[in-house]
Amino acid sequence: MNRIRLHNTDFEGLNNVYLLDGDDGSGGAAAGDEVVLVDLGVSIPDVRAELVDGLAAHGHDVSDVDRVFLTHWHADHAGLASFVQAESGATLHAHEADAELIAGGEAALREERRRQRDRFVDWGIPEEPRQELDSFLAGHNDLVGDPCDVEPFSDGDTFDVNGRTLEAVHLPGHAAGLSAFADEAAGEAFVGDVILPEYTPNVGGADVRVDAPLSTYVDSLLAVVERDWDVAWPGHRDRIGDPAGRAAEILDHHRERTRRVVDVLDRHGPATPWEVSDRLFGALETIHILHGPGEAYAHLDHLESHGVADRTGSDYDLAVDDPDVDALFPDVDADDDADRSVEH
C-alpha cells in the first residue's frame, strides 16, 4: 500500500489517496495485480495534476486504474471520480446511500440543496450568513467533477483486492453513506472521515440527510471501538495507531460538547442551533456557517431525543434541571493496555 497526498485548503488539510497495487516496496506491482485506489480529491486542475504525478511516482498512469473505493460523497473524497473513470474506465464503488450523489444525479443533488436550505431555516441562521453560505457553496461547484457511473455496495459486502479481502463497514454520521474498507486479516481499515487523528469530524452539518446525526455517529464510533483495528488509514493527515482509542476520545469530546450545550441553555434559556453555535464557536464564515449550527443541532437533537430538551419551532430549551449528560453516552473503557468494553 502506498499513500498519495493531495492538497486541499478548504476542508481538513491534505487528502490521502491510498494506492493498493500489490507493490511490496520493490518498485512495482506484481503481474496481474489491479491498480486500486481508496478515495480521491477535489476536482480542480492542480489537485488533478498531483494525482497524476503521485501515480507516476509509483509507476502508474491514471489510465491504469481498475477500481476506486470511495468512503463517502464529499467532494474532497470523490471529486476526481469522473476524471479517473473517464481516463481509465475504472469501476467506482460507493455505499448505496451516497452513490447517486457521487454519480452526479440531478435529482439527488437538487434534493440535497433543498434539504440544506430547509435546515438553514430550521436552525435559525439569519439571512445574511445564509446568503454568504449559499454563495460559498455555489462557488465550489467545480470541486465535484462531472457525472460518472457508480457501482453501489451495501454494508458487509466484500471485495477481493490483490489477494486481500476488503469488507465494507457502514459507519454513518459524518455522511449518510460513509463506509470504511476493512482488511480484518491485516487488522487495518481505510476509514475516510469516520475518525481523524487531529480533528473531530463534523456531524449535523456535513450531511443534512442523516437523521439523529449524533446518535448515529455515536453508534459508528462504538463500532470502531468494537472492531479494535490495529491501524486506521484516515482520509486526512496521518495513520491512526489506536483507532479504538481515538474513537473513544471522540466520544469523550462529544460528551463534553453536550455539557457545553446544556450550559448554554441553562445560562441563556431557549435558543436556536444558530444561537447555540454562536455561544460555542463565535463568529463563523464560509463553510463553517454550515458546520457550526449543524454541530449545535446534532447535540440539541441528541438532548431532545433523550427527553432532556424540548423543541418549540427552532428553539430548544432544557426540560430537565441539571441533567446527567454521562447517561446520554455509552461508557467506553479506552485503556490501550486492556480489552475495551462498552456499556450501553
Side-chain angles (χ1 to χ4, degrees):
M1 186 273 289
N2 292 290
R3 180 175 63 170
I4 299 169
R5 311 299 297 274
L6 302 182
H7 279 89
N8 173 9
T9 59
D10 289 316
F11 299 97
E12 300 289 349
L14 292 174
N15 274 90
N16 294 321
V17 175
Y18 297 102
L19 170 61
L20 313 180
D21 61 355
D23 183 0
D24 61 3
S26 61
D33 277 349
E34 294 182 299
V35 176
V36 177
L37 303 178
V38 177
D39 273 351
L40 294 167
V42 294
S43 181
I44 59 176
D46 287 350
V47 175
R48 187 161 56 239
E50 287 180 335
L51 178 63
V52 171
D53 291 345
L55 286 168
H58 297 290
H60 300 298
D61 295 323
V62 176
S63 60
D64 297 332
V65 177
D66 296 292
R67 287 191 282 173
V68 182
F69 291 90
L70 300 167
T71 59
H72 59 299
W73 67 276
H74 291 157
D76 55 326
H77 294 262
L80 285 171
S82 58
F83 164 69
V84 171
Q85 188 173 69
E87 293 290 314
S88 66
T91 300
L92 307 175
H93 299 278
H95 187 273
E96 56 196 354
D98 284 4
E100 191 174 356
L101 281 171
I102 294 171
E106 290 187 9
L109 293 170
R110 282 198 306 269
E111 178 64 13
E112 173 65 14
R113 293 297 290 124
R114 183 195 67 77
R115 285 176 180 267
Q116 285 180 335
R117 292 191 176 98
D118 286 348
R119 288 294 194 193
F120 302 162
V121 174
D122 289 343
W123 296 343
I125 303 178
E127 182 65 24
E128 185 174 341
R130 270 208 318 251
Q131 290 178 354
E132 179 183 344
L133 178 57
D134 275 334
S135 176
F136 175 83
L137 294 173
H140 286 73
N141 286 334
D142 59 336
L143 303 183
V144 175
D146 296 324
C148 51
D149 295 323
V150 180
E151 185 73 26
F153 61 74
S154 300
D155 181 45
D157 285 354
T158 59
F159 305 89
D160 180 29
V161 178
N162 297 329
R164 66 158 78 190
T165 298
L166 295 184
E167 176 191 354
V169 183
H170 187 211
L171 298 168
H174 178 69
L178 208 160
S179 299
F181 302 103
D183 181 345
E184 295 292 351
E188 66 179 5
F190 303 92
V191 298
D193 289 357
V194 176
I195 54 173
L196 296 171
E198 295 185 30
Y199 295 94
T200 56
N202 181 262
V203 291
D207 191 339
V208 300
R209 300 174 302 154
V210 180
D211 292 328
L214 183 54
S215 297
T216 298
Y217 185 49
V218 166
D219 287 342
S220 292
L221 290 173
L222 292 180
V224 173
V225 171
E226 291 166 354
R227 289 270 180 162
D228 199 18
W229 296 305
D230 296 326
V231 173
W233 300 101
H236 304 270
R237 302 181 187 272
D238 297 321
R239 71 190 288 277
I240 299 172
D242 178 18
R246 179 59 182 148
E249 289 176 355
I250 295 173
L251 276 169
D252 284 341
H253 162 85
H254 283 293
R255 186 182 292 108
E256 181 57 33
R257 177 158 288 170
T258 300
R259 288 194 181 95
R260 293 180 62 199
V261 171
V262 167
D263 184 63
V264 169
L265 297 181
D266 185 48
R267 288 172 179 267
H268 303 283
T272 66
W274 176 257
E275 291 165 340
V276 171
S277 171
D278 184 61
R279 299 285 183 182
L280 294 177
F281 310 120
L284 300 173
E285 59 184 16
T286 64
I287 193 65
H288 301 293
I289 297 170
L290 172 63
H291 288 170
E295 187 84 20
Y297 160 73
H299 287 79
L300 291 163
D301 174 77
H302 195 63
L303 291 170
E304 183 190 15
S305 70
H306 285 84
V308 174
D310 291 327
R311 177 179 177 180
T312 304
S314 295
D315 285 333
Y316 291 80
D317 195 11
L318 286 180
V320 176
D321 291 332
D322 193 23
D324 182 2
V325 171
D326 286 338
L328 308 182
F329 292 87
D331 183 23
V332 177
D333 176 7
D335 185 351
D336 291 351
D337 296 323
D339 292 334
R340 289 182 181 84
S341 60
V342 179
E343 294 182 9
H344 297 269

